[in-house]
Amino acid sequence: DQQVKQNSPSLSVQEGRISILNCDYTNSMFDYFLWYKKYPAEGPTFLISISSIKDKNEDGRFTVFLNKSAKHLSLHIVPSQPGDSAVYFCAASEVEYGNKLVFGAGTILRVKS
Amino acid sequence: DGGITQSPKYLFRKEGQNVTLSCEQNLNHDAMYWYRQDPGQGLRLIYYSQIVNDFQKGDIAEGYSVSREKKESFPLTVTSAQKNPTAFYLCASSKRLAGGGTYNEQFFGPGTRLTVL
């Protein structure tokens, strides 16, 4: 049973527009959420995170929104750039159980110039 | 430069052979992890270690083994018992579990692609 779901396998966006990547989770005990970015044949790199006590966290062009009642989070990238083209993984953790992460299947983002 | 190294980048093995994947970090992190990635799937946790000489099974530990004799190193052995070993393997590390609601994000190595012939 997938506890973290990214239902869109891919997303295509025009350069300069907003990219919105979505993630749903089922485990209400998750209290920390992260987004990782991954290029082919490389390891994921940490992008941005949010604790369950917040509903928004912003870092430059990247903003993560958390809706706990809907068990949903989203990553907004504004403006999108061609270099943002990568696979984006959503991950979640129960801090009580330490650093174990549960990952979604990923969404391939393509930013067209 | 601090970071995580994995070697080799590409690895081929014959069916029925054991193979060991290397993971070394110089970030002074206490915790280390092994994940597996298959096409169209997220990363799945194989094993993790929070401290030297201690490790725990993750979600898909069957057919794998690990050791943690040094803080810097966390090798993964893919045994012949692993029924479908062809995959992309990722090693990660983080600061030790802090507790009290504090989370320490994981840093990943470049990965090893294992192909069983």
Side-chain angles (χ1 to χ4, degrees), chain B residues 10-19 21 36 64 78-89 113-117:
Chain B
Y10 299 95
L11 188 58
F12 298 88
R13 82 153 208 221
K14 292 182 180 179
E15 203 167 333
Q17 288 181 336
N18 291 359
V19 64
L21 282 59
R36 165 181 174 141
Y64 299 97
V78 185
T79 74
S80 57
Q82 168 49 232
K83 297 193 187 315
N84 189 16
T86 294
F88 189 52
Y89 289 87
R113 181 162 297 282
L114 172 65
T115 302
V116 174
L117 305 172

Side-chain angles (χ1 to χ4, degrees), chain B residues 1 16 37 47 49 62 69 81 98 107 117:
Chain B
D1 276 54
Q37 187 191 9
Y47 267 98
S49 167
E62 186 176 348
E69 297 176 3
F107 295 84
L117 305 172

